[in-house]
Amino acid sequence: PAVARENNCLNAAKACNLNDTCKKYRSAYISPCTSRVSTAEACNKRKCHKALRQFFDKVPPKHSYGMLYCSCPLSDQTACSERRRQTIVPVCSYEEKQKPNCLELQASCKTNYICRSRLADFFVNCQPEPRSLSGCLKENYADCLLSYSGLIGTVMTPNYLRSPQISVSPYCDCSNSGNNKDECDKLTEFFTENTCLRNAIQAFGNGTDVGVWQPMSPV
Amino acid sequence: IWVQTRGCLLKEVHLNVTDLGLGYQTKEELIFRYCSGSCAEAETNYDKILNNLTHNKKLDKDTPSRTCCRPIAFDDDLSFLDDNVVYHTLKKHSARKCACV
C-alpha cells in the first residue's frame, strides 16, 4: 500500500522540542545564529559556533544526531533535505562572503587547538576502507559520526551539499590551489566522497546502526 | 477525611506551534506549560478587604485584581523552523513555576 512519506527531519525536530534538554540547547544556538548584530554582519559567528558545539556536547545523540543525520527520501530535495541542511543555521555557521581554499582553511583550523584535534579525530575515525564491509577502516560508525559532528562549530564546520546523494563539505573549494591541487582534492574528497562517513550517516538515518556492520545499498 | 490538595499548579499540554495563534506557519510542536488553580487559600487580609469593599461599593467603580495563579518563572526559549525555512525563537512563552501573586 502507498504510505505517505514521513519527513524524518521534521519528526526529529518535533522530538527535540518535546525534550527539555534538546529544546533548551537547540534554541540556545538558534538564537545567536539568527540574531543580526550589525548592518554588516548577519550574526556573531563566534557565539553561534560556540553554542553549536554546546548543543552537540550536551544533548544526547538520540536527539542531536536525530536532527543532524535524519534520512530523507532520494526524491526529496526540499522539505526534508532542506530542513536537514538548515540544522546548523548555515547562513551564520557555514557560509562566508567568499569561499576560501580548502588547504588554507585547514591551515587556519590547525592554529586552533579544538579544531586541530577534532579534525584529526575525523580523519582517523572516518577513514574509508573499501575492503571492509562497513566501508570504514575502524569499523565503528558511532565514532565516525561523533567525530564528524565534533567539527560543527569549528572553522571546518561541514554541511550537506545540495546533491542527490549524501555529500558533505566544509565551506571551501580547491580553486587557487596552484601546485597543491592534488592535495586539496584529496582533502575535499575525504568529505564529499567518503564511503565510510556516508554509510555511517545512512546507517543512523535508517536505524540500522545497531552494531552489526552491513554494507548499505548504493544510493 | 481526605482533603484533595487544590491550588495553583503547573500544568502542561502538547500543542502544534500553529495552535498558539501567533501567526507562524510550521509543522513543529511544543509542550506548553501554564499555571492554573485556585488561589483562595493564599488570600491575605488585603484580598479580603478588597472583596468586602467591592461588595459594599466603597471603591467607586474600581475592581482591583485579587490573588492570581500566575507564572513566576518562564520556561526556556523555544526555537522552530517555519515552512519558509526561517527560524523563530519564542521567549517567555511557557511557564516554569507558578505562584499565587
Side-chain angles (χ1 to χ4, degrees):
Chain A
V3 176
R5 275 265 160 78
E6 287 276 306
N7 183 336
N8 287 326
C9 297
L10 173 63
N11 290 345
K14 288 182 186 176
C16 176
N17 277 356
L18 300 184
N19 173 282
D20 283 335
T21 304
C22 192
K23 181 193 79 162
K24 173 178 165 182
Y25 287 103
R26 184 188 184 207
S27 76
Y29 79 77
I30 288 173
S31 276
C33 297
T34 56
S35 304
R36 181 166 281 281
V37 285
S38 70
T39 46
E41 282 172 293
C43 66
N44 184 328
K45 192 166 188 162
R46 194 181 54 81
K47 283 189 180 171
C48 171
H49 274 176
K50 190 176 178 190
L52 272 166
R53 293 199 304 273
Q54 278 220 321
F55 176 80
F56 288 104
D57 281 350
K58 309 259 178 163
V59 176
K62 179 186 157 194
H63 288 295
S64 58
Y65 289 10
M67 291 206 290
L68 182 63
Y69 302 128
C70 47
S71 67
C72 296
L74 253 188
S75 52
D76 175 284
Q77 278 305 308
T78 51
C80 185
S81 306
E82 188 53 30
R83 182 175 267 282
R84 183 172 61 190
R85 246 178 44 76
Q86 290 297 330
T87 304
I88 62 165
V89 197
V91 68
C92 179
S93 72
Y94 186 66
E95 291 159 20
E96 286 280 350
K97 289 186 192 83
Q98 288 186 322
K99 248 188 194 178
N101 178 275
C102 291
L103 292 175
E104 281 174 28
L105 194 64
Q106 186 183 28
S108 110
C109 171
K110 285 181 174 172
T111 65
N112 175 289
Y113 79 99
I114 297 178
C115 193
R116 185 174 57 222
S117 76
R118 294 195 173 186
L119 187 60
D121 277 352
F122 174 63
F123 287 144
V124 168
N125 290 314
C126 296
Q127 180 70 51
E129 172 50 64
R131 287 171 299 179
S132 138
L133 269 179
S134 65
C136 301
L137 183 65
K138 297 184 81 182
E139 310 210 11
N140 189 329
Y141 285 158
D143 281 353
C144 176
L145 296 179
L146 181 66
S147 309
Y148 174 85
S149 66
L151 286 175
I152 293 169
T154 69
V155 296
M156 294 297 284
T157 297
N159 199 15
Y160 293 93
L161 300 174
R162 286 198 175 93
S163 121
Q165 64 172 350
I166 290 175
S167 184
V168 297
S169 172
Y171 197 74
C172 63
D173 62 26
C174 285
S175 54
N176 305 315
S177 291
N179 292 336
N180 301 320
K181 183 79 168 68
D182 287 351
E183 195 194 336
C184 187
D185 288 342
K186 245 180 80 185
L187 172 62
T188 55
E189 282 165 17
F190 196 93
F191 285 90
T192 58
E193 283 159 50
N194 185 328
T195 322
C196 171
L197 175 62
R198 188 176 294 157
N199 287 351
I201 292 175
Q202 282 175 350
F204 184 88
N206 299 334
T208 52
D209 182 10
V210 288
V212 181
W213 310 117
Q214 298 167 331
M216 292 301 123
S217 51
V219 181
Chain B
I1 300 167
W2 169 253
V3 180
Q4 195 188 353
T5 316
R6 275 194 285 178
C8 175
L9 298 172
L10 185 66
K11 299 185 179 175
E12 63 176 47
V13 57
H14 178 179
L15 298 173
N16 297 316
V17 172
T18 49
D19 293 331
L20 302 180
L22 298 176
Y24 298 108
Q25 289 195 317
T26 178
K27 294 175 190 71
E28 289 206 33
E29 301 175 357
L30 78 157
I31 302 282
F32 174 69
R33 299 192 175 96
Y34 60 100
C35 299
S36 175
S38 163
C39 281
E41 287 161 30
E43 290 206 327
T44 57
N45 278 330
Y46 172 81
D47 297 294
K48 287 173 193 159
I49 292 166
L50 279 186
N51 191 27
N52 298 337
L53 294 183
T54 313
H55 190 73
N56 298 332
K57 302 197 169 92
K58 303 256 184 185
L59 297 178
D60 284 339
K61 285 167 188 116
D62 270 344
T63 48
S65 303
R66 310 264 300 281
T67 306
C68 287
C69 179
R70 292 279 303 165
I72 52 165
F74 288 99
D75 219 341
D76 294 310
D77 298 349
L78 174 88
S79 292
F80 58 89
L81 189 65
D82 75 14
D83 292 346
N84 297 316
V85 202
V86 177
Y87 276 112
H88 301 277
T89 301
L90 296 181
K91 294 175 190 298
K92 294 191 176 180
H93 66 290
S94 175
R96 182 198 294 279
K97 207 175 172 188
C98 304
C100 292
V101 293

